[in-house]
């Protein structure tokens, strides 16, 4: 991992000069962070290029843990999710990549969801709810400068207006507070004007047309990314290097689908989110764009394990001794999974997905499309 892949080298050339990057702002937030880190650490290109990616990935996972707790009200879930996320081979591997298409959208959408649930589903003080609303409005405004941004912005505004809880909170604010907290939704999208003035062809990138120029590659990349996530052996996607399918994730997903038919809350959202994130990752086409699916895959696995601990609590409501013994067993299981994840990364993933190997995967995908 001490080398740059072809995509990273291209990215390095792009973000070193801010003027050049503005002419093709694929991931504006990550790109601006990379430009700033390269200015601060001009002699450490690899670290400066990859550090913003790692920061955004782990920020996304931290916000996801908050959302999961507020959605499922399982006090074990955030800790289980955090342990699995920090040690996940995919998280560790992808946080080393200096350019992952779609990471901006992932971070922004997660921030919007987190802010929404803090406002509508938590008992925090109104002051913090106002900060949450500001985080939501800034993230919503910045989405407009992403690929498909104008369409996503419109969809988010419509969904926000349909939310009675969110409307009631906004209506409880005075006029000055509304202006201070909601201005980013209407002002930040105007950044697109600067991008259009820099290069009129940027409208293709902002509208998402650039991602749809080769529609034939979308179903193929969808298959490659799906096989990568589930560890199924294939040659044109990232690999865990073990040569074995991820049976634990498959079992957790099957359990989640079963719980959908049992009408358990929010299970459908996880499966739909995983499906949509796979499709969006296929639109971007890059093998590292599977980062979009990581929060959902880890959440599905973490939810299954956290619910097992919850079942233990319900099985032994009065006698603490067998309950504590069973909890200890579950803790050992979760810790064993985290150790196995780190072992998988050290022994297999780093060798299977070096920058040179990622170059070969990317070239193989491009040649298959052509």
């Amino acid at each position: 991992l001490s080398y740059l892949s072809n995509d990273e080298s291209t990215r390095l050339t792009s973000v070193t000069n801010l003027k050049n990057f503005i002419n093709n702002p694929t991931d504006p937030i990550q790109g601006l962070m990379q430009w700033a880190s390269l200015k601060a650490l001009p002699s450490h290109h690899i670290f400066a290029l990859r550090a913003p990616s790692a920061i955004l990935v782990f920020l996304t996972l931290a916000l996801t843990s908050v959302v999961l707790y507020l959605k499922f009200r399982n006090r074990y879930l955030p800790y289980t999710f955090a342990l699995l996320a920090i040690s996940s081979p995919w998280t560790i591997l992808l946080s080393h990549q200096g350019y992952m298409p779609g990471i901006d959208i992932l971070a922004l959408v997660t921030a919007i969801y987190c802010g929404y649930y803090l406002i509508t589903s938590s008992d925090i003080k109104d002051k913090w709810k106002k900060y949450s609303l500001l985080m939501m409005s800034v993230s919503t405004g910045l989405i407009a400068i992403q690929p498909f941004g104008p369409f996503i912005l419109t969809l988010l505004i419509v969904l926000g207006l349909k939310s009675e809880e969110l409307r009631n909170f906004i209506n409880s604010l005075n006029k000055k507070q509304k202006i201070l907290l909601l201005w980013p939704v209407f002002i930040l999208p105007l950044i697109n004007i600067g991008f259009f003035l820099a290069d009129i062809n940027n409208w293709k990138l902002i509208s998402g047309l650039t991602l749809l120029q080769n529609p034939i590659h979308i179903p193929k990349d969808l298959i490659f990314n799906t096989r990568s996530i589930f560890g199924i052996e294939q040659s044109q996607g990232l690999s865990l290097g073990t040569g074995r399918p991820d049976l634990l994730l498959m079992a957790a997903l099957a359990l989640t689908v079963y719980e959908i038919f049992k009408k358990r809350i929010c299970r459908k959202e996880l499966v739909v989110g995983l499906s949509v994130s796979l499709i969006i990752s296929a639109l971007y086409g890059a093998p590292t764009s599977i980062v979009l699916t990581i929060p959902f895959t880890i959440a599905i696995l973490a939810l299954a394990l956290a619910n097992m601990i919850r079942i233990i609590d319900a099985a032994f409501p009065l006698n603490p001794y067998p309950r504590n013994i069973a909890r200890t067993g579950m803790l050992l299981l979760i810790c064993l999974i985290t150790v196995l994840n780190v072992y998988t990364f050290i022994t297999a993933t780093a060798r299977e997905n070096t920058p040179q190997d990622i170059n070969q995967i990317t070239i193989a995908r491009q040649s298959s499309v052509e």
Side-chain angles (χ1 to χ4, degrees):
L1 296 177
S2 60
Y3 298 91
L4 293 177
S5 66
N6 289 340
D7 285 341
E8 288 177 298
S9 297
T10 303
R11 180 69 164 189
L12 178 63
T13 303
S14 172
V15 298
T16 301
N17 187 309
L18 189 58
K19 183 178 180 180
N20 292 338
F21 177 69
I22 291 175
N23 290 332
N24 187 26
T26 310
D27 277 26
I29 297 174
Q30 185 183 194
L32 184 60
M33 292 175 63
Q34 289 173 329
W35 172 80
S37 64
L38 286 167
K39 289 296 182 182
L41 301 168
S43 59
H44 298 81
H45 285 174
I46 294 178
F47 178 81
L49 191 67
R50 292 175 175 172
S53 301
I55 291 171
L56 288 174
V57 169
F58 283 103
L59 176 62
T60 298
L61 294 174
L63 293 174
T64 302
S65 66
V66 176
V67 173
L68 290 174
Y69 173 73
L70 294 174
K71 285 173 69 69
F72 294 96
R73 296 297 178 177
N74 186 328
R75 60 194 176 106
Y76 303 109
L77 183 55
Y79 307 108
T80 305
F81 178 85
L83 280 172
L84 296 180
I86 291 172
S87 63
S88 168
W90 290 122
T91 302
I92 300 173
L93 171 69
L94 293 173
S95 65
H96 281 79
Q97 302 305 313
Y99 174 53
M100 294 176 284
I103 190 174
D104 280 7
I105 285 184
L106 178 62
L108 293 173
V109 170
T110 306
I112 292 169
Y113 265 93
C114 185
Y116 175 78
Y117 282 105
L118 285 172
I119 293 172
T120 61
S121 304
S122 71
D123 298 325
I124 61 176
K125 296 179 180 179
D126 283 347
K127 179 181 71 172
W128 295 107
K129 288 188 177 183
K130 292 174 184 176
Y131 291 146
S132 300
L133 180 60
L134 180 61
M135 178 176 70
M136 279 187 66
S137 60
V138 170
S139 300
T140 302
L142 289 175
I143 277 220
I145 64 177
Q146 308 294 325
F148 298 108
F151 307 106
I152 300 175
L153 175 66
T154 303
L155 176 63
L156 290 173
I157 292 176
V158 171
L159 293 176
L161 292 175
K162 286 187 175 182
S163 173
E164 184 177 353
E165 298 94 338
L166 186 60
R167 287 203 317 270
N168 290 339
F169 177 74
I170 294 175
N171 291 334
S172 68
L173 304 174
N174 58 47
K175 185 176 181 181
K176 182 179 179 180
Q177 289 173 334
K178 289 180 182 178
I179 294 174
L180 289 175
L181 297 177
L182 296 177
W183 68 265
V185 176
F186 307 100
I187 301 301
L188 291 179
L190 299 179
I191 296 175
N192 282 331
I193 297 176
F195 291 145
F196 296 153
L197 292 176
D199 188 345
I200 191 62
N201 289 323
N202 278 337
W203 75 268
K204 295 181 180 179
L205 181 61
I206 300 299
S207 66
L209 182 63
T210 302
L211 300 180
L212 299 175
Q213 287 181 344
N214 294 310
I216 191 173
H217 77 84
I218 295 175
K220 293 182 179 179
D221 288 342
L222 178 62
I223 294 173
F224 295 145
N225 290 351
T226 303
R227 290 167 69 89
S228 293
I229 286 296
F230 290 102
I232 302 173
E233 187 64 29
Q234 36 88 40
S235 59
Q236 294 183 351
L238 301 184
S239 171
L240 286 176
T242 60
R244 299 185 299 273
D246 192 341
L247 298 177
L248 189 60
L249 176 59
M250 292 179 180
L253 180 59
L255 176 62
T256 304
V257 173
Y258 169 77
E259 290 178 333
I260 290 175
F261 290 101
K262 290 293 184 178
K263 300 189 183 301
R264 301 290 298 276
I265 60 170
C266 298
R267 268 56 171 189
K268 185 184 295 184
E269 293 181 26
L270 287 177
V271 176
V272 171
L274 176 61
S275 303
V276 171
S277 63
L278 279 169
I279 294 172
I280 296 176
S281 72
L283 286 175
Y284 279 99
T288 51
S289 62
I290 62 170
V291 69
L292 294 166
T293 68
I294 300 306
F296 296 101
T297 56
I298 299 176
I300 288 171
L301 180 56
L303 180 62
L305 295 172
N307 280 340
M308 291 175 67
I309 305 177
R310 223 173 173 181
I311 291 172
I312 292 171
D313 286 348
F316 304 102
L318 299 177
N319 193 339
Y321 299 106
R323 182 171 69 240
N324 291 338
I325 292 173
R327 280 180 180 176
T328 302
M330 284 301 304
L331 177 62
L332 291 175
L333 174 62
I334 294 171
C335 290
L336 182 62
I337 293 173
T338 60
V339 171
L340 180 62
N341 282 342
V342 176
Y343 174 79
T344 300
F345 172 77
I346 294 173
T347 61
T349 308
R351 292 200 298 266
E352 290 287 330
N353 300 294
T354 61
Q356 295 91 333
D357 292 329
I358 292 176
N359 290 339
Q360 295 176 3
I361 293 170
T362 303
I363 292 171
R365 285 199 183 190
Q366 292 173 346
S367 61
S368 67
V369 172
E370 294 172 359

